[in-house]
Amino acid sequence: DPGDPTHYSAHDILVKSMNVGTLMFAEKMGKDAFLDYIHKFGFGSRSFINLPGETEGLVRSLDNISTIDNAVMSFGQGISVSGLQMAAAVAAIGNDGVYVPPKIVKHQTDHEYVTILNPSSYKQTRVVSRDTAKKVRLAMESVVQNGTGVNAGVPGYRIGGKTGTAQKPLENGLGYEEDAYIASFVGLLPIHEPKYVIFVSIDKP
């Protein structure tokens, strides 16, 4: 069966956005390890930008997550993340697997221009190996070359990215709106030596 995800590599599952494939990876990983990665990538907590209105998103605790929750979270259902969180997580892939907390201020000084706060000193966390990050970047490049993100391709640039399609939940939180989605794309460029992350989200395209 050509649609059977067991016949595809992890690379192809990402490029083709195969939900069943990501579900199988999450199941094999187990709830503990899966949620550990979720948190290491910065989801479920506020960053250090210290701006009002920033959300920590919605990530269930280990005590409140079922096998079904773990499965659907693997492809983006049952979890809520902000654009900033997504950009920072993908930046970790571009940064050879090291997560760096996002910041909007380069540094703060006193009246004599002596640095009193340097956000670059915030704790950085290795989330995945350098080799794994490189493999993910190559898969992201394939997404743009011949996967779900071909419209993001720009002649002369090596771009990598990932598309996303999320159902919109009802206001009461019980189920989803019919035919209502949030479409997104997160990109890294240049993919061989990333310098920039761009996240785009469209509500009900």
Side-chain angles (χ1 to χ4, degrees):
D1 177 8
D4 183 351
T6 59
H7 293 174
Y8 291 92
S9 66
H11 178 102
D12 291 334
I13 287 170
L14 190 147
V15 172
K16 297 175 184 294
S17 282
M18 298 179 69
N19 289 351
V20 177
T22 58
L23 182 156
M24 292 172 68
F25 277 117
E27 186 178 66
K28 187 174 182 179
M29 188 181 298
K31 291 190 291 186
D32 293 64
F34 179 71
L35 279 180
D36 186 50
Y37 275 111
I38 290 286
H39 291 295
K40 282 183 177 178
F41 272 108
F43 300 121
S45 60
R46 291 183 176 88
S47 69
F48 291 96
I49 63 169
N50 295 322
L51 287 180
E54 184 192 4
T55 178
E56 62 185 22
L58 177 63
V59 177
R60 299 182 188 190
S61 67
L62 186 60
D63 295 337
N64 295 324
I65 187 172
S66 68
T67 302
I68 295 297
D69 293 329
N70 190 59
V72 297
M73 283 173 64
S74 71
F75 54 82
Q77 295 284 86
I79 183 173
S80 174
V81 306
S82 71
L84 177 66
Q85 288 173 331
M86 184 61 72
V90 172
I93 298 299
N95 196 36
D96 285 333
V98 177
Y99 179 86
V100 179
K103 57 185 181 292
I104 59 168
V105 175
K106 186 175 182 181
H107 61 266
Q108 294 178 23
T109 67
D110 61 16
H111 65 286
E112 295 181 341
Y113 300 104
V114 175
T115 297
I116 57 176
L117 176 64
N118 182 5
S120 65
S121 66
Y122 291 160
K123 183 180 179 182
Q124 301 180 11
T125 307
R126 174 158 295 283
V127 184
V128 295
S129 70
R130 182 183 298 266
D131 183 59
T132 295
K134 182 179 180 180
K135 288 177 179 176
V136 173
R137 289 198 302 271
L138 291 175
M140 290 174 70
E141 184 173 29
S142 293
V143 168
V144 174
Q145 290 177 337
N146 50 42
T148 58
V150 291
N151 289 333
V154 178
Y157 291 88
R158 288 186 63 188
I159 297 172
K162 184 69 187 77
T163 55
T165 305
Q167 288 179 278
K168 288 201 66 172
L170 294 169
E171 288 187 14
N172 62 12
L174 302 176
Y176 296 92
E177 292 184 44
E178 186 176 353
D179 295 325
Y181 300 90
I182 296 176
S184 63
F185 179 82
V186 62
L188 273 174
L189 73 152
I191 198 65
H192 60 288
E193 193 175 327
K195 300 294 183 186
Y196 304 98
V197 177
I198 298 174
F199 176 79
V200 179
S201 177
I202 304 176
D203 194 343
K204 293 186 178 180

